[in-house]
Amino acid sequence: MNSEQPEEPGAPQPSAERGAPIGRRVLLGTIGLGALGVVAAPPLQRALESFLGAAADKDPTGLTGLLPNGGGFRYYSVASSVPHKNASNYRLTVDGLVDHPKTYTLDDLRALPQTRMVKDVQCVTGWRVPDTPFEGVRLSRLLDAAGVHGKAGAVRFTCFDGTYTESLTLDQARRSDVLVALRMQDKDIGHAHGGPVRLYVAPMYFYKSAKWLSGITVTEDVRPGYWEKLGYDVDAWVGRSNGRDDEPTT
Ligand SMILES: Nc1nc2c(c(=O)[nH]1)N[C@H]1C(S)=C(S)[C@@H](COP(=O)(O)O)O[C@H]1N2
Ligand SMILES: [Mo]
């Protein structure tokens, strides 16, 4: 990976650094192309929290959007500010190589059968949150409702932050453990965690789980997403991608 490229808060590290505690990689800075990146060690996080105040949702700078939510989560956003959406203005569009393009409201999504899963969240940078419940509509259900064309091979996800993108192959997208998630930790997903609706790709590193989901487009081929253009693996299986050949222990 080119060292001049902007890094995710903890982009995949060369193997020599893989086991290093996050705390050794303290870094706060603005990275290229308007993207904002932070790797915050706990002391720095605490300092930032007291400086900015705890109310992430009220912070116009977007900085607190990068702070942890307790419970081991860190907030990530590559966009410096993200509009807030709720039941009155949230929309999710399903389009591309489908027979029946459709736009869903939040209530439309809530009215569909919900699936709840409890699994570990694993960021590629090493932090992990065990046994995290997610709940929402299976992506496969939305794809079936749309009527996917025979020549389609992939799905592309876009976000109302205006910047982040993700992708899955159609086979991956149809897995039963891939959700259009409305709830996380048994609460409606808040703004900082990508609410009201985020993608949840349980078997892959958390960068696949696009926050602030606004578009699902069925395409012929996989188009690498935001971090994937910067070197992350498109097939992001936990423990079997991004240079990891074992299940991380941290
Ligand atoms: N729209 C958007 N989705 C995103 C990201 C982002 O920056 N923007 N970061 C990804 C990464 S790298 C991780 S680890 C998780 C973090 O989710 P959290 O902020 O809810 O902890 O969101 C993923 N989805
Ligand atoms: Mo991540």
Side-chain angles (χ1 to χ4, degrees), residues 8 74-78 161 164 193 198 206 209 211:
E8 190 212 85
R74 285 143 206 258
Y75 291 143
Y76 283 168
S77 176
V78 298
D161 64 8
Y164 204 76
H193 280 303
R198 78 181 294 170
F206 208 26
S209 294
K211 299 163 69 166

Side-chain angles (χ1 to χ4, degrees), residues 20-105:
I22 298 266
R24 296 230 194 99
R25 297 191 242 128
V26 178
L27 165 66
L28 169 62
T30 305
I31 55 180
L33 306 170
L36 184 65
V38 171
V39 173
L44 178 56
Q45 289 165 357
R46 279 195 296 276
L48 279 169
E49 271 175 325
S50 53
F51 174 65
L52 294 165
D57 280 6
K58 298 197 182 83
D59 169 39
T61 67
L63 267 177
T64 52
L66 297 152
L67 296 175
N69 179 32
F73 278 96
R74 285 143 206 258
Y75 291 143
Y76 283 168
S77 176
V78 298
S80 54
S81 81
V82 181
H84 289 232
K85 302 264 184 188
N86 54 39
S88 65
N89 60 2
Y90 176 78
R91 298 289 183 275
L92 174 64
T93 304
V94 181
D95 62 11
L97 302 175
V98 297
D99 291 333
H100 314 289
K102 187 173 161 86
T103 298
Y104 293 86
T105 65

Side-chain angles (χ1 to χ4, degrees), residues 8-9 76 123-125 127 206-207 232:
E8 190 212 85
Y76 283 168
C123 175
V124 75
T125 63
W127 59 269
F206 208 26
Y207 65 85
Y232 279 29

Side-chain angles (χ1 to χ4, degrees), residues 1 45 55 62 111 178 187 224:
M1 188 173 175
Q45 289 165 357
V178 175
K187 293 177 298 220

Side-chain angles (χ1 to χ4, degrees), residues 92-95 98 104 109 112-115 117 135-148 154-157 166-181 197-202 208 210 213 215-218:
L92 174 64
T93 304
V94 181
D95 62 11
V98 297
Y104 293 86
L109 293 171
L112 294 171
Q114 308 289 306
T115 300
M117 279 185 280
E135 196 175 332
V137 181
R138 284 207 169 105
L139 177 57
S140 63
R141 171 176 290 275
L142 301 185
L143 294 173
D144 288 348
V148 173
V155 182
R156 175 173 168 79
F157 305 95
E166 253 306 334
S167 68
L168 291 170
T169 67
L170 202 49
D171 285 346
Q172 293 165 357
R174 285 188 162 132
R175 288 175 59 109
S176 60
D177 53 1
V178 175
L179 299 182
V180 170
V197 178
R198 78 181 294 170
L199 189 66
Y200 176 56
V201 183
K208 301 300 289 190
L213 183 66
I216 297 173
T217 302
V218 178

